[in-house]
Amino acid sequence: MTAVTVSVSPVAARIGAVVEGVRLGGELDSITVDTVRDALHRHRVIFFRDQHHLDDAGQLAFARLLGEPIGHPTASAEGELIVPIDTDHGVVADRWHTDVTFVPAYPLASILRAVRLPDVGGDTLWADTASAYAELPAPLAAFADSLRAVHSNRHDYAAADTDVVSEARKDYRELFESTVYETEHPVVRIHPVTGERTLVLGAFVRRLVGFDAEDSAALLALFRKHVTRPENTVRWRWRAGDVAIWDNRATQHRVITDFDGARRLLHRVTIDGDVPVGVDGRPSLALLPVREAVA
């Protein structure tokens, strides 16, 4: 067999790269897996074109090479590890977020595979929260280091949809909130692999600890502005056969809803993560649901 050279080509200076020469699946050798993992840590989100051979089983087998796949706490049936991101079910992740930050050990990475795409539109944006922290003015960075924030899957009705919410979206929201989770995270965590400081924010944040609602909103908007600066982002135009993998500990992402009701279906697998630790060494803290102590 002829050896295939793996190449990693940046899409933008701060975030995003295309990886070529890799046929994703469960049969990859350890050197290739390490190359993929290293590219992920360096570029935050990596893209693979022309993975037309990949199905749910292959996607899941590949995910197991990177870690332990996990389902969604509320939006998956028990044991279901493939999560459909499907506009037909009212799922439109159109606000900047990091996946599942309402639990303490939120996913370390997500793997998203295009299944059905609109003819036009439906790109995804990612933002680099490590670069966002690194560019903060020193006094603001020191302030961020001291902050804690409460994240929850309960819908933020103060920032509710401006248009009429479909029945499908209402049904999905009801499922999504079937168990209410709340977790207190440090606003700045230490990345367990790179050692970088990253901002832990996004749409699941409900308030900053120690601040009222008005001050929380103003401060969160200030940090959000730094995270989503164009220089910290990359935009991916999906094609059939595409797969994206992102480091969920150092990014936020959102879809662009410019596909006018056309169906958009992607399948996601998430990899189990670790509990964040802040600059002061304090880990994240689960607030809800309350677990009863075992005698």
Side-chain angles (χ1 to χ4, degrees), residues 176-195:
F176 193 84
E177 299 178 13
S178 57
T179 299
V180 174
Y181 291 85
E182 284 191 0
T183 295
E184 180 186 298
H185 288 299
V187 167
V188 180
R189 71 172 293 177
I190 307 298
H191 194 288
V193 176
T194 68

Side-chain angles (χ1 to χ4, degrees), residues 108-123:
L108 71 82
S110 292
I111 304 168
L112 194 62
R113 175 173 60 92
V115 176
R116 179 172 176 176
L117 299 170
D119 290 336
V120 293
D123 297 355

